[in-house]
Amino acid sequence: MEFAGHITPDHPAPPTADDLDFAVPIATFVEQSALEEFGVGTVANGSTLVEVALSFTLWRRPDDPEHPDNLADLTPEVRASLDVLPPWPLPAWMHESRRRMRYPALWEAVRTTRVDPVQRADHETPAAVLVHHVNHVLRNTFRGERVRGEHFGELLGAATERGVRPAAVSYDGADVDGLELDTDAHVTAIGVDLGDRLVTAVVAREHLPHIRLALRDRP
């Protein structure tokens, strides 16, 4: 229930990946202590889900969650806004969302895209889907560095398929034929064609020392 421009304590939490009716397995990173799944984005064609993208909280020191190294590099304005609680009660899930904003996030880092294994549109090639995912992450998480103009703006130095090359990708514990895009200044990306779905992952370069860039089916 929502009124007066704010969310009431009984407002339902957003769906998690466990709540989704997706016709193919959802991909994620391999289990690792530095990453904690938090949040899911979806794209639907009518009533049918065609994309699921998982976001993660990054723990630079997973053995010590309270260590200051785990905190994100926030502006003083953002930090101050998180220190002030709204003047109305919030649901528990929103308090948790606000708390997570203090830590680095891999926003929509792993995306699973459903495709027809026999007939695919031009925009459903593995390279095209990988490039689209890269530019989506750049536009939304590097706006200050890469977007010129207001609102949607112009993405500067957008990734193109010229930067995509074949690469081995670790999936479910085995190296499989895949793709990588490792020419961007801010992110690196990998992708794999699994027949009925394309799986892509995009990670900011600053986070690479803390994680293993390997994928699997989400349990």
Side-chain angles (χ1 to χ4, degrees), residues 91-195:
W93 63 265
M94 183 159 280
H95 281 293
E96 177 62 9
S97 295
R98 286 172 54 86
R99 186 184 73 84
R100 294 275 182 160
M101 290 176 67
R102 299 180 183 274
Y103 302 98
L106 278 63
W107 180 79
E108 297 200 359
V110 181
R111 177 191 282 180
T112 307
T113 304
R114 286 182 59 192
V115 292
D116 187 320
V118 179
Q119 293 183 326
R120 297 185 185 178
D122 291 343
H123 67 275
E124 293 178 329
T125 66
V129 170
L130 181 63
V131 166
H132 181 272
H133 190 186
V134 167
N135 289 332
H136 178 65
V137 171
L138 287 173
R139 183 179 293 281
N140 287 277
T141 61
F142 289 94
R143 287 198 64 85
E145 300 92 337
R146 301 293 291 270
V147 177
R148 179 168 56 199
E150 299 298 322
H151 305 297
F152 193 67
E154 175 191 0
L155 179 60
L156 305 176
T160 70
E161 293 184 35
R162 291 192 300 272
V164 178
R165 65 180 185 182
V169 173
S170 177
Y171 201 96
D172 273 343
D175 284 346
V176 298
D177 292 338
L179 301 172
E180 70 173 4
L181 195 158
D182 197 31
T183 56
D184 188 82
H186 290 104
V187 302
T188 191
I190 57 173
V192 61
D193 185 346
L194 297 177

Side-chain angles (χ1 to χ4, degrees), residues 60 68 70-83 98-105:
R60 298 188 185 101
N70 286 317
L71 295 173
D73 184 18
L74 303 176
T75 65
E77 293 78 15
V78 171
R79 190 175 294 108
S81 70
L82 293 175
D83 289 339
R98 286 172 54 86
R99 186 184 73 84
R100 294 275 182 160
M101 290 176 67
R102 299 180 183 274
Y103 302 98

Side-chain angles (χ1 to χ4, degrees), residues 6-10 86-92 94-95:
H6 64 263
I7 293 177
T8 60
D10 60 348
W88 53 81
L90 297 175
M94 183 159 280
H95 281 293

